[in-house]
């Protein structure tokens, strides 16, 4: 995986990126996000141009961003899980002309897109709890024109590990003739789950940790803060990868201060192929000083030699006296 291009500096910490749509001219729209701002960029060839941004007040905290055509009109909507203080108020952005407008909000589900669940991409959600941010079974969600209606409940048990850690980090793929959930757990191990939610596979390496967290629940007096919930990336699954899924995710090697600072020690981007009952690395980027927080395949139709990947990278974490700096980075697989 070789560097192919990058955006100008973004004065923020980017925690993820998602490919949204492509137009007739070959431009691809991608959505990256910081804590309170969604950044839309257009990618043409190896160039990345700013398109627009959507900002929320400081009491908001964007937790994840996905894209999916939820109404069947051929254009993918942008699905944002947003936390306002301690209330989930996810929202949906729909293309109106050349711009994106909010068409639904106040949605009390954590949202995720399963890229391949029984042969198609499916939007799922998990309702927020009272004493925990995640409660109950993961359910498929259907758009009814105004909001989401619950459909099938996934059979996996969310009261047991690893899924008791909540919806963040969830993905899916077809393995042979069966569909399985792929889960980045709270300790950043990749897991493949059976129909009951138990692990059939756990990686030896760690992946997907994001230097971002949120607080929830009553203040713990001895610590002086609420309980921390750490965020992590889900694998992105390449379209058309067949019976042996090809997935994309940042590999994370923890540093000495990682647990305290919630910051990865070093990161690199890896392509993993399911092979012989485990994920094996097929390609990767060199380790650099920047923190890769998320990535997605640039093409929505399939991925092969020469394919491009877009990643979000934090180059400098901010402080009271210095700016935060991030970029979007393109990689090409030779």
């Amino acid at each position: 995986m070789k560097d192919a291009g990058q955006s100008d500096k973004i004065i923020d910490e980017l925690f993820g990126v998602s490919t949204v749509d492509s137009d007739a001219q070959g431009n691809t729209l991608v959505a990256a996000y910081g804590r309170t701002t969604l950044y839309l960029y257009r990618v043409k060839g190896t160039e990345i141009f700013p398109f627009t941004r959507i900002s929320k007040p400081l009491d908001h905290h964007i937790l994840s961003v996905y894209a999916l055509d939820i109404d069947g009109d051929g254009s993918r909507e942008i699905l944002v899980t947003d936390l306002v203080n301690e209330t989930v108020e996810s929202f949906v952005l729909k293309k109106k002309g050349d711009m994106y407008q909010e068409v639904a909000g106040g949605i009390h589900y954590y949202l995720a897109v399963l890229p391949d669940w029984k042969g198609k991409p499916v939007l799922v959600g998990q309702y927020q709890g009272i004493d925990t941010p995640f409660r109950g079974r993961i359910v498929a969600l259907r758009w009814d024109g105004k909001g989401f209606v619950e459909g099938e409940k996934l059979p996996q048990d969310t009261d047991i590990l690893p899924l008791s850690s909540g919806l963040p980090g969830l993905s899916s793929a077809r393995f042979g003739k069966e569909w399985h959930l792929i889960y980045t757990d709270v300790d950043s191990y990749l897991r493949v789950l059976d129909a009951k939610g138990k692990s059939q596979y756990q990686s030896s390496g760690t992946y997907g940790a994001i230097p971002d967290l949120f607080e929830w629940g009553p203040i713990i007096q001895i610590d002086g803060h609420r309980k921390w919930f750490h965020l992590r990336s889900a694998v992105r699954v390449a379209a058309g990868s067949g019976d042996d899924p090809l997935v994309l995710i940042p590999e994370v090697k923890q540093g000495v201060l990682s647990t305290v600072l919630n910051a990865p020690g070093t990161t690199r981007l890896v392509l993993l192929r399911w092979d012989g009952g485990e994920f094996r690395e097929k390609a990767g980027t060199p380790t650099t000083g920047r923190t890769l927080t998320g990535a997605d395949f640039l093409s929505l139709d399939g991925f092969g030699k020469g394919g491009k990947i877009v990643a979000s990278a934090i180059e400098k974490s901010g402080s009271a006296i210095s700016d935060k700096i991030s970029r979007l980075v393109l990689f090409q697989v030779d």
Side-chain angles (χ1 to χ4, degrees):
M1 258 192 279
K2 298 181 179 179
D3 282 17
Q6 64 180 18
S7 69
D8 290 337
K9 293 179 182 178
I10 300 169
I11 309 303
D12 199 351
E13 290 177 317
L14 296 182
F15 297 119
V17 62
S18 182
T19 299
V20 179
D21 245 329
S22 297
D23 63 20
Q25 289 73 43
N27 300 317
T28 302
L29 184 71
V30 300
Y33 63 95
R35 288 199 178 194
T36 61
T37 304
L38 186 70
Y39 300 89
L40 299 183
Y41 275 72
R42 290 200 181 278
V43 182
K44 184 174 184 179
T46 59
E47 297 183 285
I48 308 176
F49 304 100
F51 175 56
T52 191
R53 67 177 61 182
I54 298 168
S55 295
K56 293 291 186 178
L58 292 177
D59 59 346
H60 289 242
H61 187 161
I62 296 173
L63 303 183
S64 69
V65 173
Y66 290 88
L68 183 69
D69 181 4
I70 59 174
D71 57 7
D73 67 350
S75 179
R76 301 173 100 201
E77 283 69 46
I78 301 173
L79 312 168
V80 183
T81 295
D82 185 26
L83 190 68
V84 185
N85 295 315
E86 288 190 11
T87 302
V88 177
E89 294 188 4
S90 300
F91 58 92
V92 176
L93 298 170
K94 185 172 180 61
K95 191 174 183 180
K96 301 283 189 177
D98 291 331
M99 302 303 291
Y100 282 80
Q101 297 178 10
E102 187 171 322
V103 295
I107 301 164
H108 296 304
Y109 291 97
Y110 286 78
L111 302 175
V113 172
L114 300 184
D116 188 353
W117 187 247
K118 299 183 180 179
K120 61 181 180 180
V122 173
L123 177 66
V124 296
Q126 189 175 30
Y127 204 73
Q128 67 173 10
I130 297 174
D131 55 355
T132 176
F134 315 103
R135 179 179 69 83
R137 289 290 177 93
I138 297 167
V139 298
L141 298 174
R142 177 178 56 83
W143 178 253
D144 68 357
K146 297 180 180 179
F148 293 111
V149 177
E150 287 192 10
E152 170 199 9
K153 287 183 170 63
L154 272 62
Q156 287 77 10
D157 191 345
T158 56
D159 290 330
I160 61 173
L161 288 171
L163 286 179
S164 58
S165 299
L167 187 64
L170 192 68
S171 188
S172 69
R174 179 168 62 90
F175 294 73
K177 303 301 180 183
E178 297 181 351
W179 282 268
H180 290 278
L181 297 181
I182 308 172
Y183 190 58
T184 312
D185 71 16
V186 71
D187 296 313
S188 301
Y189 294 107
L190 290 183
R191 296 176 181 264
V192 176
L193 307 181
D194 65 15
K196 293 183 179 180
K198 296 181 179 179
S199 292
Q200 290 184 320
Y201 163 82
Q202 177 183 311
S203 66
S204 57
T206 51
Y207 303 88
I210 298 173
D212 190 23
L213 51 77
F214 63 95
E215 296 183 39
W216 188 282
I219 292 177
I220 304 169
Q221 295 300 325
I222 193 170
D223 295 329
H225 59 76
R226 298 175 176 87
K227 185 178 179 180
W228 286 338
F229 291 86
H230 295 255
L231 297 171
R232 61 265 188 201
S233 295
V235 297
R236 303 291 190 176
V237 180
S241 56
D243 293 348
D244 300 311
L246 180 67
V247 304
L248 172 70
I249 195 168
E251 179 189 51
V252 177
K253 294 185 178 180
Q254 302 293 337
V256 175
L257 299 179
S258 296
T259 303
V260 178
L261 300 178
N262 194 37
T266 59
T267 61
R268 55 193 289 268
L269 203 59
V270 293
L271 277 169
L272 307 174
R273 170 78 75 179
W274 185 253
D275 180 16
E278 63 179 323
F279 282 114
R280 300 180 188 272
E281 183 175 327
K282 305 303 291 184
T285 63
T287 299
T288 67
R290 60 193 177 193
T291 300
L292 295 166
T293 55
D296 203 358
F297 297 100
L298 207 57
S299 171
L300 301 174
D301 299 325
F303 185 79
K305 187 175 180 180
K308 292 188 179 70
I309 288 164
V310 62
S312 51
I314 298 174
E315 293 189 349
K316 181 181 177 184
S317 295
S319 66
I321 58 174
S322 64
D323 287 333
K324 307 168 184 177
I325 299 175
S326 297
R327 295 181 194 267
L328 291 177
V329 184
L330 288 182
F331 297 99
Q332 182 167 321
V333 178
D334 293 333

